[in-house]
Amino acid sequence: MFRIMGAVALAAIAGGAFAADTPPAATPKRTAKATNAIVTAPLPEDQAAMKAHVMFLASDAMRGREAGSAEYDIAAQYVAAQFYAAGLRPGGDDGGYLQRVPLVTYKAADKGNMVLSRPGTSPLTFVFGEDYAPGVDPAKRATAVDAPVIFVGYGIVAPHVKRDDYAGVDARGKIVAYFGGAPDSLQSEERAHFSSAGTKQAIAADHGAVGTLTLERAGPRSTPFARAAEAWDRARTIWANADGTGKAEGAPMLGTLSQPGAAKLFAGARTPWTQVAKLAANSEARFKAEQLPGNLTIALHTNFEPKTSSNVVGLIPGSDAAIGKQVVILSAHLDHVGVGKADATGDTIYNGAEDNAVGIASLIEEARRFKASGKPPRRTIMFLAVTAEEKGLVGSDYFANHPTVPLTSIVADVNLDMPIITYKFEDMTVFGADRSTLGPIVAKAAATKGVVMSPDPDPAMGLFVRSDHYRFVQKGVPSVFLWPGKKGAGKAAWDDFFAHHYHQPSDEITLPLDWAQGVRFVETNYAIAREIADGDERPRWNKGDFFGLLYNGFGAR
């Protein structure tokens, strides 16, 4: 009861503190349902504790917990206080629970320009919004490139499926042009990996390219050029370098070309654009890489706005003399998307109750269970609440590149992101379970709670690469991402959430959240974490696993 009242009081104080700074137009409509949501029959203590966290973190006073906002900072202090109450040792900077994360928001400063020069012809200036949409370089305030262009199909290099889209060309000092997406025949998680703009840019950089262009195509999972043209000046966020620019993501993305723009680029090429475009409608098409005629001159300008946020880090030291310094990370993102477009009721605050206040509440309550057990884990357990997941896994990426413990000591990550608890779950989907020995460990632990494992219900979504655990995968750490599954009432609950509440103002405490299922989720995850922390064997990648080999992970070779 004390902990519940404490959370409510904090929410009231925060609401009062920020009310004077909130313009009337930004204040959401409040209904009787929202106001009375906290006036309910008493819950059992463990359910009430979990609800109290969500009540505070997803309250209107937190204004959607956008990374870099003052409200997010309050949420981070709240989590730090809860880590302290759970008996965790500080694992952040300067002996505290917070790890400072320098962020920078960057956007195109102007529409840029793009000019194609060929011997014997007048320079051809591409038209903004018709031929091209400018890219944005997070690493430079001014980007100027004058280089030949090489077409490389999908821009994929994947020896395990005998694919090298760069074969036969030298990309050093050149711009590479490719299609977005990846062949449908690739395994779903590998397809998601190779579809990522970051992966394509990294491959281009590995081949010495000075920039990249994305070509519009027709076909499955294609992105219309109009979308890129409309969003050309949207703000993006990444973690910042010391000079105030952002972390480079491989070769800079210089722009997107429409099909008419691509036709101009391909004029006089060995393979006509009409042929290339027709082939591109089939995701399985393979293209012969070739250098296109002429040089392309591109100029971009980028504006930067610095911000600061923080990860929250707490530790339970391992007790075993031999393996106690090995670290098992339990992660969840604390941020959501802030204040945005009003819904039909006039509500502008995207509270993020399920996404991911429930995940953070689970993390806190899991920490409390370790303390209450009276039995320290054999391995060290780190509880990590990260910022800027909604900006592109930025906080976890910063931590993975600036860990507060030696990177070599991190042996596993278990990630909690958006667990839907509006139904009685019968199973658990564990993304990445079939890639490492974490899979059997999770299955064994979940079975003790009467929960079975189910395979990925929608492989096409490629969810293994879309949450914070993936930043640890990229450092070679075996990792999994846990969701209550879709058996029984699960599918309808998930479909309803994604259709009506995901990244909407309605993702708030007024949803029919079943706190008993929240406690089941915590108990299941506690059993999983305990099994990993106390097991004799260090988690390892399955021999020959694609991601394990790609990132030189333990056990893959």
Side-chain angles (χ1 to χ4, degrees), residues 431-442:
F431 301 98
D434 57 350
R435 296 194 171 275
S436 73
T437 58
L438 288 177
I441 293 171
V442 171

Side-chain angles (χ1 to χ4, degrees), residues 154-158 163 165 178-203 214 217 220-223 253 283 459-462 465-466 470 546-547 551:
Y154 281 106
I156 292 172
V157 177
R163 184 172 190 124
D165 291 350
Y178 45 58
F179 292 113
D184 289 346
S185 59
L186 288 172
Q187 189 273 341
S188 63
E189 292 162 353
E190 296 171 19
R191 183 173 69 243
H193 167 79
F194 284 115
S195 295
S196 162
T199 297
K200 292 178 185 288
Q201 290 170 247
I203 293 172
T214 301
R217 72 178 180 91
R221 282 186 284 279
S222 59
T223 301
M253 201 281 282
S283 77
M461 292 182 71
V465 304
R466 291 175 54 186
Y470 190 59
F546 168 76
F547 289 103
Y551 296 115

Side-chain angles (χ1 to χ4, degrees), residues 369-420:
R369 275 162 174 74
F370 272 96
K371 179 182 180 182
S373 74
K375 178 186 175 185
R378 294 179 65 198
R379 291 182 174 86
T380 295
I381 297 183
M382 174 182 288
F383 295 82
L384 177 63
V386 296
T387 187
E389 187 270 353
E390 302 288 3
K391 307 294 187 184
L393 318 183
V394 176
S396 53
D397 188 48
Y398 184 82
F399 184 90
N401 284 280
H402 303 85
T404 60
V405 296
L407 181 62
T408 53
S409 71
I410 300 173
V411 300
D413 175 64
V414 179
N415 189 47
L416 312 177
D417 186 358
M418 204 171 68
I420 302 302

